[in-house]
Amino acid sequence: MAAILLDVDGVLHVSGEALPGAAEAVQRLRENGHRLRFVTNTTVRSRAQLGELLRSHAIELEDDEIQTSARAAVNVLRGKRVLALTMHALVHDLEGLDLVGEGADAVLIGGADETPETGLVFSYMNLARAFAELELGAELYCLHRNRWWQTKRGPLLDSGAFVAGLEYAAQVEATVLGKPSPQYFAAAFEALDADPQLTWMVGDDLEIDIAGAQGVGMRTVLLRTGKFRPDSVEASRTQPDGIVSSIRELPEWLEEHL
């Protein structure tokens, strides 16, 4: 049996709406004896809120099985003064950090969401404050640097653009705390007591999920849901071990290929 890391957005749901067959697929994977961990870069819901959302769609899981980039940030930034540009929903998951408005040791950039709050969090005033802290010597961190994400309304710009802008303006390089950082994947291996070469990453993002997982020795399955774009796959040097229509077909595909 395998250890399997399941992405959440674009794999189990899109804009909070469950994808067909997601609950049944997760149940079947468990019945087949696979060890599961739900790995996500989402920054619009706390881990508890995400767990509640998935359970409301009959997907059986415990909050402890969900690995978020916000918890990774707490582990890395504990003891530092942190200026955090994140959605309000994430504040609870950042408990344990010393969040400040100025005099920061670290600037932390979260992700965008589909609400007007994104415009407030990433306002010119806040981005200028972050730039000033970086100029004064603070280090730049981001929960992820996704360029965009898929919603039921179509693709939306994500906060990777703001991360890149701050890197350019302050002439620094951001440390990524979520996928595809090797440290993020290592935490998942530890939680599952799994070897990377025997672990599968299942996702919809060719750059973040597939290339990131292959970089640490994992096997990969790309789903044709969420951010999947056939033209991008054809043009990319990154190729997954398998491409499956959706999470619904994943259990059967794994039975044939393990």
Side-chain angles (χ1 to χ4, degrees), residues 7 9-11 41 146-150 179 201-213 221-223 225-229 233 238:
D7 185 27
D9 289 340
V11 170
N41 274 351
N146 296 9
R147 295 183 293 114
W148 64 283
W149 87 103
Q150 184 66 31
K179 295 180 293 179
M201 176 69 217
V202 179
D204 66 318
D205 190 314
L206 191 63
E207 298 174 9
I208 303 299
D209 296 326
I210 305 306
V221 177
L222 181 66
L223 302 188
T225 52
K227 296 178 73 172
F228 177 86
R229 299 291 186 273
V233 178
T238 298

Side-chain angles (χ1 to χ4, degrees), residues 60-125:
E60 296 183 7
L61 80 167
E62 300 294 331
D63 289 352
D64 287 346
E65 294 180 284
I66 302 173
Q67 181 171 314
T68 68
S69 53
R71 297 312 300 168
V74 173
N75 293 335
V76 171
L77 300 178
R78 194 185 306 273
K80 297 180 182 290
R81 291 168 54 84
V82 181
L83 173 65
L85 301 189
T86 65
M87 299 298 120
H88 180 73
L90 250 65
V91 172
H92 178 73
D93 280 1
L94 296 177
E95 186 176 349
L97 293 184
D98 182 12
L99 301 180
V100 300
E102 59 183 4
D105 302 310
V107 170
L108 176 64
I109 305 298
D113 73 4
E114 299 179 58
T115 73
E117 186 182 1
T118 293
L120 299 175
V121 171
F122 299 113
S123 67
Y124 174 80
M125 181 179 296

Side-chain angles (χ1 to χ4, degrees), residues 10-178:
V11 170
L12 301 177
H13 77 91
V14 172
S15 292
E17 297 181 5
L19 290 171
E24 294 80 4
V26 170
Q27 181 180 3
R28 186 170 171 184
L29 290 171
R30 292 192 190 278
E31 291 173 350
N32 290 344
H34 300 304
R35 291 168 290 155
L36 305 182
R37 191 152 182 85
F38 301 84
V39 294
T40 176
N41 274 351
T42 185
T43 58
V44 303
R45 294 179 178 89
S46 68
R47 183 170 71 166
Q49 289 172 333
L50 182 57
E52 184 178 354
L53 170 68
L54 295 176
R55 286 188 292 271
S56 75
H57 294 306
I59 298 173
E60 296 183 7
L61 80 167
E62 300 294 331
D63 289 352
D64 287 346
E65 294 180 284
I66 302 173
Q67 181 171 314
T68 68
S69 53
R71 297 312 300 168
V74 173
N75 293 335
V76 171
L77 300 178
R78 194 185 306 273
K80 297 180 182 290
R81 291 168 54 84
V82 181
L83 173 65
L85 301 189
T86 65
M87 299 298 120
H88 180 73
L90 250 65
V91 172
H92 178 73
D93 280 1
L94 296 177
E95 186 176 349
L97 293 184
D98 182 12
L99 301 180
V100 300
E102 59 183 4
D105 302 310
V107 170
L108 176 64
I109 305 298
D113 73 4
E114 299 179 58
T115 73
E117 186 182 1
T118 293
L120 299 175
V121 171
F122 299 113
S123 67
Y124 174 80
M125 181 179 296
N126 285 344
L127 290 170
R129 179 70 259 162
F131 166 73
E133 294 296 330
L134 295 172
E135 285 289 282
L136 291 171
E139 298 177 290
L140 180 59
Y141 295 83
C142 57
L143 297 183
H144 63 71
R145 57 181 310 148
N146 296 9
R147 295 183 293 114
W148 64 283
W149 87 103
Q150 184 66 31
T151 74
K152 61 184 179 182
R153 294 185 291 149
L156 286 183
L157 181 70
D158 213 330
S159 60
F162 304 122
V163 174
L166 287 171
E167 288 179 320
Y168 168 73
Q171 297 185 325
V172 298
E173 183 175 350
T175 297
V176 180
L177 299 172

